[in-house]
Amino acid sequence: MGAFALLALLLASVGLYGVLSYAVTQRTSEIGVRMALGATSREVLLTFGKRGLVLTVAGLAIGLALSTVASRFLNALLFGFRPDLVPIITVVSLILLGVAALASLAPARRASRIDPVIALRSE
């Protein structure tokens, strides 16, 4: 069971990295314009880092709601089923947030290091 959990964590982090990397690639000219108009590397880094964490928190909220519904369904279906999900969900959510922050960092750093002149010439 632990191997499947690690595989799911790996797939989630690779998926988040892919989405953010694609967003950086698509918005290269916009990032170049922002940096040419005075945006600092830190501001660009925070913009893309925040985007990845917002996606993660939204996914966690949806997953929490679905797990609560599934837990109540199992309580009604199975006699004596009393899951203690609060500590498990807390630890897993914190681990997922940490992995998502790391997965968001690479594309965000790449976006913050874009040279405005090269980005504006790419169109």
Side-chain angles (χ1 to χ4, degrees):
M1 195 62 104
F4 287 122
L6 287 176
L7 182 64
L9 182 65
L10 178 71
L11 287 174
S13 62
V14 168
L16 184 64
Y17 173 81
V19 167
L20 289 176
S21 183
Y22 180 73
V24 167
T25 303
Q26 291 296 329
R27 297 175 66 185
T28 300
S29 61
E30 176 191 338
I31 295 167
V33 168
R34 285 184 183 203
M35 293 185 81
L37 291 176
T40 63
S41 294
R42 184 172 189 259
E43 290 170 347
V44 173
L45 180 75
L46 289 176
T47 299
F48 280 92
K50 186 171 39 171
R51 182 175 182 173
L53 291 179
V54 165
L55 288 171
T56 304
V57 169
L60 281 173
I62 292 169
L64 180 62
L66 290 175
S67 69
T68 302
V69 169
S71 174
R72 289 187 184 196
F73 178 70
L74 286 175
N75 278 338
L77 204 61
L78 301 172
F79 179 73
F81 180 74
R82 301 267 184 230
D84 189 20
L85 295 177
V86 174
I88 294 170
I89 288 176
T90 303
V91 169
V92 169
S93 297
L94 290 175
I95 290 172
L96 187 58
L97 278 173
V99 169
L102 289 175
S104 301
L105 185 63
R109 287 191 71 198
R110 188 172 46 127
S112 70
R113 294 173 186 233
I114 290 176
D115 184 25
V117 175
I118 294 173
L120 293 174
R121 285 185 189 165
S122 68
E123 278 193 29

